[in-house]
Amino acid sequence: GAVVSQHPSWVICKSGTSVKIECRSLDFQATTMFWYRQFPKQSLMLMATSNEGSKATYEQGVEKDKFLINHASLTLSTLTVTSAHPEDSSFYICSAWGAQGDNEQFFGPGTRLTVL
Amino acid sequence: GDSVTQMEGPVTLSEEAFLTINCTYTATGYPSLFWYVQYPGEGLQLLLKATKADDKGSNKGFEATYRKETTSFHLEKGSVQVSDSAVYFCALRNSNSGYALNFGKGTSLLVTP
């Protein structure tokens, strides 16, 4: 099946720094990638949808200047958490969709971000 | 807006027990319904899906039937194994939200030998 990777798998940073998370589709071209955020024992909440070569569409309540998303190629999307604060600590999950089959989304393993 | 409600976990069962994880939804129109499974340290994987009322999705011994009259998509398995221990997410996708998924909170399942 299709594989999506995320890097890093976990990161600890100081408050005020920026952190970049990569999401890669390893064996297919992802025309659309989604970024989700998951708090402990909570659901995955959609943050934004990004289509290759165009600006991301953010969900209501998600600050686009805080969470910068770039989808510059069909195999890579990045999420940058700018000026991170402790409340940004969470589990970030990406998924990728390409026109390769049954409209299925393939998920990355997630990135655990801890902001001190 | 659309929403998905799952039964609270964790659920602990002995091997070979019967499993039911309840899932109900609220949505306009005719959403597609999904169950995803997340094994420890891995990404979410699609377990099964149903795209219209009365459809039954099945995979690896798991089944779920899309019940429009009760707005439910309960997950069942007749005999669970230790290897089924994971977190299970019910989700829906509505055509008016593109391909984005709307998830329930997840139900943790632990199967003991």
Side-chain angles (χ1 to χ4, degrees):
Chain A
V3 179
V4 175
S5 70
Q6 279 185 244
H7 178 81
S9 55
W10 58 270
V11 57
I12 301 173
C13 69
K14 292 183 179 180
S15 186
T17 61
S18 294
V19 174
K20 180 184 284 189
I21 302 170
E22 293 185 348
C23 177
R24 294 182 184 272
S25 56
L26 298 185
D27 49 5
F28 70 101
Q29 294 186 325
T31 51
T32 303
M33 286 186 172
F34 301 91
W35 286 95
Y36 295 86
R37 182 174 181 178
Q38 184 181 27
F39 291 103
K41 299 186 179 181
Q42 296 293 317
S43 176
L44 280 76
M45 301 301 296
L46 179 67
M47 298 175 66
T49 301
S50 73
N51 293 299
E52 185 267 337
S54 59
K55 289 184 178 180
T57 302
Y58 290 81
E59 295 299 298
Q60 192 172 12
V62 178
E63 299 175 59
K64 62 178 70 175
D65 296 329
K66 173 80 170 172
F67 299 100
L68 301 178
I69 291 171
N70 184 284
H71 191 169
S73 78
L74 285 171
T75 59
L76 173 65
S77 176
T78 59
L79 167 67
T80 301
V81 183
T82 62
S83 187
H85 288 95
E87 58 266 29
D88 299 324
S89 299
S90 191
F91 196 54
Y92 293 88
I93 301 172
C94 73
S95 70
W97 178 86
Q100 78 282 358
D102 205 9
N103 293 331
E104 182 178 344
Q105 284 184 40
F106 297 95
F107 285 81
T111 297
R112 172 74 60 195
L113 170 63
T114 300
V115 185
L116 302 177
Chain B
D2 297 348
S3 66
V4 176
T5 303
Q6 281 182 244
M7 61 185 288
E8 294 279 334
V11 174
T12 303
L13 295 173
S14 298
E15 203 165 23
E16 298 184 2
F18 184 86
L19 168 71
T20 299
I21 300 178
N22 290 337
C23 172
T24 56
Y25 68 91
T26 301
T28 56
Y30 303 94
S32 296
L33 301 174
F34 304 81
W35 277 101
Y36 282 83
V37 58
Q38 187 176 31
Y39 298 103
E42 299 183 16
L44 275 74
Q45 300 173 26
L46 178 63
L47 181 60
L48 54 84
K49 68 178 183 181
T51 58
K52 61 183 188 296
D54 299 326
D55 267 3
K56 177 186 283 188
S58 61
N59 185 24
K60 299 181 182 179
F62 291 89
E63 293 183 342
T65 300
Y66 187 162
R67 301 285 189 200
K68 188 168 174 60
E69 63 275 14
T70 55
T71 62
S72 64
F73 193 54
H74 305 321
L75 182 68
E76 297 182 336
K77 186 174 186 182
S79 176
V80 293
Q81 305 301 311
V82 172
S83 57
D84 293 326
S85 298
V87 181
Y88 293 82
F89 292 90
C90 185
L92 71 80
R93 185 179 71 209
N94 214 330
S95 58
N96 55 17
S97 63
Y99 292 104
L101 291 161
N102 194 324
F103 286 91
K105 291 185 178 182
T107 302
S108 176
L109 170 65
L110 175 63
V111 181
T112 57

